[in-house]
Amino acid sequence: MTEQHENIRVETRGRTGIITLHRPKALNALDAATLREVVAAAAAMDADPGIGAIVLTGSGKAFAAGADIKEMADRGFSEMFRADWFAGWDAFTRVRTPVVGAVAGYALGGGCELAMMCDVLIAADTARFGQPEINLGVIPGMGGSQRLTRAVGKAKAMDMVLTGRQMDAAEAERAGLVSRVVPADRLLDEALEVAGTIAAKSLPAAMAAKEAVSAAFETGLAQGVLFERRLFHGLFATEDQKEGMAAFAAKREPRFTHR
Ligand code: HXC
């Protein structure tokens, strides 16, 4: 069943929730309404134990062509600061269910930044990534200078953020920004396959895996390794760990109950 919101479409297929950005008149530019809808849909999926993975994708020519420039053009510092403009997107990064981002066409500015908030990022061969805010007299504001630098290193991040140039899908894969590139007509199927694979695993283990890898962005090595090890220990309290290891010993497929 597909739910139609103002700027997104929401759908469930098996244990995978799909959020499709759909604001064609503005190339899916991320305005405040889109932010509210995406965050609410993702939070609802996150709260549903029947959902084991989320796919976030765009539509038409774009994943998203940025934050909505027209919505913020006339605002002043005080208003931006008091509203803490873009802080609402942090809620998307607190989603604990793994998120597969599927990017075709433009992922620029806030679109690139939203893509980088996803856990697994798959690109169509048509994908274009960029942080063009410098062309608007500003800089990235949804985490781009931080996540892009962590993803591709200082050299490419400086190049992209200072010149505003776009990366195509092949360069994005070489640079480590995306994990796979597929033909555009295969993008959704590939993303659904990856999501389906993840959703079939133990949900507590998948959530812990996401937390552990995400911690590599936030902590030093020793702390990160300790955090991982404690999560690993904790998983021995789950039924899925008993089932997964018993299934291995019995040479059969595991039947995870996500508990
Ligand atoms: C608002 C946008 C938009 C955006 C496109 N549109 N991007 N509206 N915010 N980010 C609108 C256009 O105004 C136009 O509306 C319609 O979508 C179609 O876009 P076109 O430009 O006509 O399409 P095309 O010629 O194919 O060019 C595609 C494009 C171009 C190269 C992606 O739209 C573009 O450069 N967009 C802006 C990209 C950008 O700078 N993004 C970063 C935003 S800042 P009408 O009504 O004319 O048909 C950001 C980070 C925030 O994201 C940090 C602080 C700023």
Side-chain angles (χ1 to χ4, degrees), residues 117-135:
M117 290 179 204
C118 297
D119 304 308
V120 179
L121 196 50
I122 303 175
D125 48 12
T126 58
R128 312 270 315 170
F129 297 89
Q131 298 291 160
E133 292 88 347
I134 195 85
N135 299 328

Side-chain angles (χ1 to χ4, degrees), residues 46-96:
D46 205 27
D48 180 350
I51 300 282
I54 298 169
V55 169
L56 177 67
T57 193
S59 52
K61 285 199 307 190
F63 177 75
D68 192 306
I69 299 167
K70 295 167 191 169
E71 189 182 49
M72 64 187 144
D74 295 329
R75 294 176 197 266
F77 165 78
S78 184
E79 195 182 356
M80 296 297 271
F81 180 75
R82 273 190 291 108
D84 206 3
W85 204 258
F86 294 143
W89 285 107
D90 291 350
F92 189 74
T93 66
R94 287 193 292 272
V95 168
R96 299 173 67 212

Side-chain angles (χ1 to χ4, degrees), residues 23-30 61-62 64-72 80 85-86 106-113 130-133 135-142 166:
R23 195 179 168 225
K25 64 175 184 198
L27 297 179
N28 303 331
L30 305 168
K61 285 199 307 190
D68 192 306
I69 299 167
K70 295 167 191 169
E71 189 182 49
M72 64 187 144
M80 296 297 271
W85 204 258
F86 294 143
Y106 297 113
L108 302 178
C112 185
E113 293 168 299
Q131 298 291 160
E133 292 88 347
N135 299 328
L136 302 168
V138 290
I139 65 169
M142 280 171 56
Q166 296 176 10

Side-chain angles (χ1 to χ4, degrees), residues 156-239:
K156 272 201 195 284
M158 280 289 190
D159 180 351
M160 306 271 298
V161 171
L162 286 171
T163 68
R165 83 168 171 88
Q166 296 176 10
M167 248 191 217
D168 65 16
E171 184 180 1
E173 188 183 25
R174 277 199 310 277
L177 182 59
V178 304
S179 62
R180 327 179 175 192
V181 178
V182 297
D185 60 2
R186 279 270 315 140
L187 179 68
L188 189 60
D189 286 345
E190 184 86 6
L192 286 171
E193 245 172 71
V194 172
T197 301
I198 295 169
K201 312 290 185 201
S202 162
L203 183 56
M207 285 177 162
K210 169 172 175 164
E211 279 184 12
V213 176
S214 300
F217 282 87
E218 316 262 343
T219 49
L221 183 62
Q223 271 182 314
V225 169
L226 179 61
F227 179 64
E228 176 199 79
R229 199 159 64 237
R230 295 296 179 238
L231 284 173
F232 172 76
H233 295 157
L235 289 169
F236 283 73
T238 66
E239 292 173 22

